Amino acid sequence: MDVFNLIFAILLSVGVGFFTLNIRKIVRNINIGQDINRSDNSSKRWANMALIALGQSKMIKRPVAGILHIIVYLGFVIINIEVIEIIIDGLFGTHRVLSFMNGFYDFIIGSFEVLALLVLVAVLIFFARRNIIKLKRFVHSDLKGWPKSDANYILYFEIVLMSLFLLMNAADYHLQMAGFSHYKQAGAFPISQFLDPIFTGISNTNVAFIERTAWWLHITGILIFLNYLYYSKHLHILLAFPNTYFADLNAKGQLNNLEAVTNEVKLMMDPDANPYAVSDTPENAIPSKFGASDVQDLNWVQLMNAYSCTECGRCTSACPANQTGKKLSPRKIMMDTRDRLEEVGKNIDKNKGIFIPDNKSLLNDYITTEELWACTTCNACVEECPISISPLSIIMEMRRFLVMEQSAAPMPINAMMSNIENNGAPWQYNQQDRLNWKNEQ
């Protein structure tokens, strides 16, 4: 192993090691959430994951963005197969070690190049949509500062990585044609061969230097990108798969019941029950808090949803409350949940594995009651999300906390509840007057 192989081994170990540490932090933060059983109907869950996460079925509901995203997605997955060869070459000092596959190798390298060009075109269109055309959902008030910059950084990354890939291949092709050193003829270069004129007048030694520089920058860029995912909305590249697998399979209009409340009602209706008995089973125990005021009160699937959010804004653009000018943005709900979860995680890191109360919470410090009560519970955000995230479930849990713990529902809702309690209906007249309307016919 020469010095370059050693440097590559160190670079690879540091990159993968740092990525592993960050993934462990994400798993730890997700597990802060309450337990929930999502192990039912595994066949349906696998089908959802294959269709939605792998097959991108919900992306193409908006055809332009959907097709472009599929191109970038396929490019990311398929082109990075070449990373296997790069790692082997980097560790053992070989060059295009998989070229023994002959015709098949020519096919896959050629396919990589075509995909790289398509990815470059798609990314440039995405850049124009965000920064030149400025589609409404990309210039929304909740997408400023870091979220806006993060989206552009990813596009820059992809442009640089694809360009380096094509430049590396172009230099390699030039050296193969010149019969230089160990650059034996291997691979097909349908795109990069057209870049060959840029090396006119440059010595083969210098072209080899360009090829090696592009090779090192390309693999270093991939490792940087890998570790950037932790700080970026592009965690969905990894989390979209478990997120769609563990998504709620119930009908979208079906809201879950609080088990503790159900058990209390059953207890009240049982004439033989002892109202003073203390439950000896966790599932029947009365929780310390109804609903959610902070991330620790949400379940782990909801916290995974927050990390999985792509910040694409489809949920907010479809939200009727947002369309009418109300403060609610489902995208912001997910971004705020993730930001608070990261804050809690840093608190735990700082205090050696223990969360020390910081006098802050998801409710009020991040998400306001005005946002929560603007929601119409129509499920448009859930339907639109390309990876089955449910902002509504978080909104409902926080509403439950407001109502059941703080009695802080808006006046119209309190009036409706009082009417149901007193009159058996949400309207402000007694039961005897219910049918008065028919006398007016």
Side-chain angles (χ1 to χ4, degrees), residues 70-109:
I70 288 173
I71 290 172
V72 175
Y73 168 73
L74 288 176
F76 176 84
V77 173
I78 296 175
I79 293 174
N80 280 331
I81 293 174
E82 195 192 18
V83 174
I84 298 171
E85 183 179 53
I86 290 176
I87 290 174
I88 296 172
D89 287 345
L91 290 175
F92 300 102
T94 53
H95 183 71
R96 296 195 176 271
V97 68
L98 300 181
S99 60
F100 67 88
M101 294 186 289
N102 299 322
F104 180 69
Y105 186 77
D106 293 348
F107 171 76
I108 59 174
I109 295 299

Side-chain angles (χ1 to χ4, degrees), residues 28 344-354 356:
R28 188 275 314 275
V344 169
K346 290 175 182 176
N347 182 308
I348 293 172
D349 291 336
K350 182 180 178 181
N351 295 290
K352 299 179 180 179
I354 301 173
I356 304 298

